Amino acid sequence: MSDAAPLLLDLPLDELPAEAGRSYRRDQLAGWLYARGAGDVDAMTDLPRAWRAELAGAWRVDPFDGFERFASRDGSVRYLFTLPDGRRTEAVYMPYARRTTVCISSMVGCPAGCTFCATGALGFGRNLTRGEIVGQLLAVARAEGVAPTVIRNVVLMGMGEALLNYDAAVSAIRTMIDPRGLDLSPRRITLSTVGLPRRIERLAGEGLPLTLAVSLHAPDDETRRTIIPTAHAHDVDDVMASLHTWYAATKRRVSVEYTMLRGVNDAPWQADALADRLSGLLSHVNLIPFNVWDGSPQAGSDRATIQAFRDRLEAAGVSVSVRFSRGQDSGAACGQLSWQQSHGAAGADAPAG
Ligand code: SF4
């Protein structure tokens, strides 16, 4: 099978091949692809040999030509996948004691260009397909030697703005929650967005009670536009209105992501303005200490400033926590691993696999 062969994972579950039209064969194939996470057709031993040969000649199972694996001292593992066109994307495996989480990408690079983000510095490569998005979970599970069903939490927070790759991202999510797919609870899937109001409203109408994580990063338009170039297209009022629409449709609490940047968005008045913005919306704020990367144009707020910001929000009745990211020694910011590779800087740990 050549690299140009189509990818089985790109097919919606109902459109998977079925030997001689037998639907139970389609279900068997789906079981091998998703619940069992087979990496090639030869592993699907209870499918008829002739059909396996037919499938192997016509389709690819693994979206990736290879990967590098970077183990971090805290137990998380970063994966840098090579696609058949030579481009690279990444995922992070986080084996928490009670809930294994995988953070996956929706794009190669990202067009949003957020100033604090290593992926933004890479620019836009291309959108990932549905199969390349869900396939990251399967490839990580295979490499870790676990069944895909061990992964109970998925975060679309790696490279890319998922809502700018809307159809593929939503389609991948539908496969993740389908009992014939990965049978994940939609509540355990977090979709991270830079905050695109029209796309958030569209997502609200999909009937998917996901966890929505919105990168606000500033409560005022002037500051936000210095951090997030796409914020020139809409103001914070518009983003907040879309979050109310999201909550009305899903009854899901909104996660508000706020990366703490020294002298940019960490002043006391900005904490007060953020609390005002969130008044009346069921939300939780994650304050994210900035993980400085080689070449990043901004510095992170110090611990005392983050604590004071947090205290001010709490005093105003805002639900808030400080999120220390895992994998700091192997390239924790989204896109950081790829950025290091493309700029010749090695991660702190050597590739482990
Ligand atoms: S923070 Fe997200 S949306 Fe912004 S450039 Fe990075 S990957 Fe893209």
Side-chain angles (χ1 to χ4, degrees):
M1 164 210 43
S2 75
D3 285 347
L7 186 61
L8 272 172
L9 302 180
D10 278 338
L11 296 176
L13 290 160
D14 288 332
E15 294 173 24
L16 284 173
E19 186 216 16
R22 298 181 180 101
S23 61
Y24 74 92
R25 291 291 190 208
R26 176 181 295 127
D27 292 346
Q28 259 181 305
L29 178 58
W32 276 110
L33 290 173
Y34 294 102
R36 302 203 209 187
D40 61 68
V41 175
D42 284 342
M44 304 178 187
T45 46
D46 60 357
L47 301 185
R49 191 182 298 266
W51 191 41
R52 269 190 276 152
E54 193 183 307
L55 289 172
W59 298 93
R60 271 182 305 138
V61 173
D62 190 339
F64 309 113
D65 277 2
F67 63 84
E68 287 179 86
R69 181 180 184 276
F70 300 81
S72 178
R73 284 183 284 276
D74 65 12
S76 64
V77 183
R78 301 182 68 83
Y79 282 87
L80 187 59
F81 293 111
T82 303
L83 293 148
D85 62 5
R87 296 176 192 268
R88 305 230 232 175
T89 195
E90 63 187 65
V92 185
Y93 176 69
M94 290 167 279
Y96 297 116
R98 303 225 320 249
R99 50 185 190 112
T100 294
T101 299
V102 178
C103 175
I104 57 176
S105 297
S106 57
M107 295 177 168
V108 174
C110 183
C114 304
T115 56
F116 60 87
C117 172
T119 296
L122 283 172
F124 179 56
R126 71 167 170 85
N127 283 332
L128 296 181
T129 67
R130 151 211 190 96
E132 289 166 347
I133 295 172
V134 72
Q136 292 166 63
L137 301 172
L138 304 171
V140 165
R142 276 196 296 278
E144 295 297 324
V146 299
T149 46
V150 165
I151 299 166
R152 287 342 272 161
N153 294 275
V154 174
V155 188
L156 276 147
M157 203 182 260
M159 295 176 102
E161 164 54 57
L163 294 187
L164 285 178
N165 187 13
Y166 189 94
D167 290 341
V170 168
S171 180
I173 288 167
R174 291 200 187 283
T175 301
M176 291 175 206
I177 64 175
D178 194 304
R180 298 165 299 168
L182 289 170
D183 200 18
L184 275 165
S185 163
R187 289 173 169 70
R188 292 176 174 272
I189 299 173
T190 300
L191 185 145
S192 171
T193 174
V194 76
L196 307 172
R198 303 292 82 75
R199 302 288 172 112
I200 290 171
E201 287 161 3
R202 185 176 165 197
L203 189 67
E206 297 280 354
L208 292 169
L210 310 171
T211 298
L212 186 69
V214 176
S215 297
L216 204 58
H217 302 317
D220 59 296
D221 289 317
E222 192 182 341
T223 308
R224 194 162 190 266
R225 286 169 181 161
T226 65
I227 304 171
I228 305 172
T230 55
H232 284 280
H234 41 258
D235 53 28
V236 177
D237 283 345
D238 203 6
V239 175
M240 296 310 300
S242 72
L243 298 183
H244 282 279
T245 300
W246 168 263
Y247 180 75
T250 64
K251 296 290 179 280
R252 298 285 295 149
R253 183 178 82 166
V254 174
S255 287
V256 174
E257 309 296 299
Y258 199 102
T259 300
M260 298 294 293
L261 301 169
R262 187 186 306 166
V264 177
N265 63 359
D266 60 358
W269 72 265
Q270 286 163 317
D272 296 343
L274 179 59
D276 279 349
R277 287 285 190 194
L278 297 176
S279 162
L281 177 72
L282 189 63
S283 61
H284 180 82
V285 175
N286 288 309
L287 298 180
I288 307 164
F290 180 51
N291 188 25
V292 179
W293 39 281
D294 250 3
S296 70
Q298 278 150 332
S301 310
D302 58 40
R303 196 171 269 264
T305 303
I306 295 172
Q307 190 60 47
F309 200 91
R310 173 201 168 119
D311 291 348
R312 216 169 168 98
L313 286 175
E314 262 182 351
V318 174
S319 168
V320 55
S321 51
V322 180
R323 193 176 71 203
F324 290 96
S325 57
R326 280 189 159 202
Q328 302 231 350
D329 56 331
S330 63
C334 59
Q336 186 169 335
L337 196 59
S338 301
W339 195 92
Q340 287 168 340
Q341 299 294 317
S342 63
H343 290 72
D349 287 359

